[in-house]
Structure formats: structure tokens, C-alpha cells
């Protein structure tokens, strides 16, 4: 089953985000190698093609065997440990398109 994980950043999260990013991406790359990553990326704070203006959060769509497993994975994210996220939500997601 797919799950959408949405993390909402604390104010001025960019320094902590940059420090924790390598570990965060490493976990995502493991899921990608297993074919369980649909998409992952940040919400830029401004309408720009990069994060130079800051970040307000992240969206991840990942495959897990259960909601509990998805929540456990999200709780262990390096961004959580680094204090990047003020809150994280995890909910089931149904992909319709592309097929």
C-alpha cells in the first residue's frame, strides 16, 4: 500500500535540513532500490526551482506493508531527529495516474 508522508518544517529549517539531508536521502535511496519510492521532494518557501529561499516541508509517497510501518519509518527520519519538522502526517494514498 502507498502512504503519503507530509512533513511541515519549523521556521528557518534550512540549516538543520542541510545537515540532516545526506542521512535523509540515504534512507530514501534504500527504498528506491527496493522499488518502494514513488516520489519525494521539498516544498520550496518561494516560487523557485530550488530551495535557496527556504523550505516549508516535504512530500513523500512510499510503499509500506501497513500504516503502522509507514508511521514508524516516518518517526525515525533524520529530519525528525534534527528538529526540521514541526509536524508529520502519514496517510494512505491511492495512485490513480499515471497508470
Amino acid at each position: 500500500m502507498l502512504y503519503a508522508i507530509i512533513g511541515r518544517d519549523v521556521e528557518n529549517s534550512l540549516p538543520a535540513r542541510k545537515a540532516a539531508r545526506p542521512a535523509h536521502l540515504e534512507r530514501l535511496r534504500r527504498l528506491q532500490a527496493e522499488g518502494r519510492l514513488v516520489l519525494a521532494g521539498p516544498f520550496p518557501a518561494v516560487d523557485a526551482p530550488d530551495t535557496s529561499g527556504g523550505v516549508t516541508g516535504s512530500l513523500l509517497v512510499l510503499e509500506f506493508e501497513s500504516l503502522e510501518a509507514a508511521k514508524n519509518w516516518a518517526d525515525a527520519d533524520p529530519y525528525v531527529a534534527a528538529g526540521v519538522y514541526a509536524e508529520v502526517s502519514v496517510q494512505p494514498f491511492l495512485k490513480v495516474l499515471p497508470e
Side-chain angles (χ1 to χ4, degrees):
M1 175 93 189
L2 295 179
Y3 296 90
I5 300 172
I6 300 174
R8 298 287 179 194
D9 283 26
V10 298
E11 291 287 324
N12 302 312
S13 63
L14 205 50
R17 183 179 265 275
K18 285 181 178 179
R21 189 169 191 262
H24 172 76
L25 291 179
E26 180 181 324
R27 293 177 83 228
L28 288 170
R29 285 189 181 108
R30 282 191 297 239
L31 291 180
Q32 182 179 19
E34 296 170 7
R36 297 170 47 201
L37 184 146
V38 175
L39 65 86
F43 297 120
V46 296
D47 188 9
D50 59 30
T51 60
S52 60
V55 177
T56 62
S58 299
L59 169 64
L60 312 170
V61 178
L62 309 169
E63 183 180 347
F64 291 96
E65 60 275 3
S66 67
L67 179 59
E68 181 180 1
K71 287 181 177 181
N72 289 339
W73 187 92
D75 288 344
D77 193 282
Y79 283 175
V80 171
V84 171
Y85 292 147
E87 65 177 297
V88 177
S89 67
V90 180
Q91 58 192 58
F93 179 80
L94 296 176
K95 181 181 171 198
V96 175
L97 294 171
E99 295 177 13

